[in-house]
Amino acid sequence: MSLPDWLVAATGKPLPGVFHHLEGTLHHWGYLAVGAFLFFEDFGVPLPGETMLIAAALYAGAGHLNVWVVALIGFVAAVLGDNVGYVIGHFGGRALIERYGKYVFLTPARFDRAEAFFVRHGGKVVTIARFVEGLRQLNGVIAGTVGMHWRRFVLFNAVGAALWVATWTSFGYLAGSHVETISRYFNYFAIAAAVAAITFVILHIRRRRKRARLG
């Protein structure tokens, strides 16, 4: 997909990495794309909602979208999406998850891990889950399944959505005027992050093996 002329004129370069693949969608659908991606992602549909939010904020920083509208739409879509998830979990329960979860890559094992984390940490997880990949998409579904009171869920969910949207729209908007610099160094950042992740996994596996030998 070719880069839109207006973005070339504004930045001189395409958006870096994964954001590049959303340029065409944002160009043709604008705010509607932001709302749709966040809304559907928030009850389990495998869409890159967070990536879309950052990409839209980058566009706003480059002067092609209104950052306040991006933030408002992002907040409303996130809250509504999580509430759809709550309804699904509340009325469908675990049986519905086990029957249809596979179609949105929600396996019983994945749901068990997320549910256990949710139960351990209580209501506050509804707020912090917004920043955790996997939990963000299952947040409302799990809250409905375990029987969390809806008003309590809405409160914590709204706080989490506000913090999450404010964080990523601010980051994207401030970075929007430096897209060329970001593009230049993005691959280096990606490689460094990958090396750090691999190192963490290797060290974690070694620690587990050491504990198993000592145990």
Side-chain angles (χ1 to χ4, degrees):
M1 184 176 293
S2 62
L3 183 64
D5 292 340
W6 58 264
L7 187 59
V8 173
T11 67
K13 287 192 175 184
L15 296 182
V18 294
F19 305 116
H20 173 69
H21 300 292
L22 297 174
E23 290 169 1
T25 302
L26 271 172
H27 177 60
H28 291 291
W29 298 100
Y31 301 113
L32 181 61
V34 179
F37 271 61
L38 268 65
F39 174 73
F40 287 108
E41 185 203 37
D42 275 9
F43 56 90
V45 178
L47 289 171
E50 186 170 84
T51 306
M52 173 59 80
L53 179 63
I54 298 172
L58 283 167
Y59 274 42
H64 302 289
L65 291 174
N66 186 305
V67 69
W68 294 105
V69 177
V70 169
L72 178 61
I73 291 175
F75 172 77
V76 172
V79 171
L80 290 179
D82 267 348
N83 274 273
V84 170
Y86 180 92
V87 171
I88 292 172
H90 181 73
F91 291 102
R94 187 177 182 87
L96 186 66
I97 302 301
E98 291 180 348
R99 184 173 182 180
Y100 297 106
K102 61 184 178 182
Y103 296 111
V104 292
F105 306 106
L106 177 55
T107 64
R110 183 185 178 195
F111 183 80
D112 285 341
R113 290 193 296 269
E115 185 179 37
F117 185 82
F118 191 99
V119 171
R120 280 200 307 272
H121 295 279
K124 64 183 179 182
V125 78
V126 176
T127 298
I128 65 173
R130 175 66 56 180
F131 294 89
V132 181
E133 185 66 29
L135 281 179
R136 181 172 68 252
Q137 294 86 348
L138 302 179
N139 193 19
V141 176
I142 297 173
T145 302
V146 301
M148 185 178 190
H149 195 282
W150 180 74
R151 289 183 181 177
R152 188 163 181 254
F153 169 74
V154 169
L155 175 61
F156 284 107
N157 180 42
V159 172
L163 293 173
W164 179 71
V165 169
T167 297
W168 290 120
T169 52
S170 297
F171 168 80
Y173 183 72
L174 294 174
S177 58
H178 304 285
V179 171
E180 189 169 345
T181 301
I182 293 172
S183 299
R184 186 180 304 121
Y185 293 106
F186 183 84
N187 289 335
Y188 299 111
F189 293 150
I191 292 171
V195 170
I198 292 171
T199 302
F200 174 80
V201 171
I202 292 173
L203 292 175
H204 179 69
I205 292 173
R206 286 181 175 177
R207 284 196 298 268
R208 290 187 61 181
R209 289 179 176 175
K210 184 178 181 179
R211 286 196 299 267
R213 286 196 301 268
L214 294 175

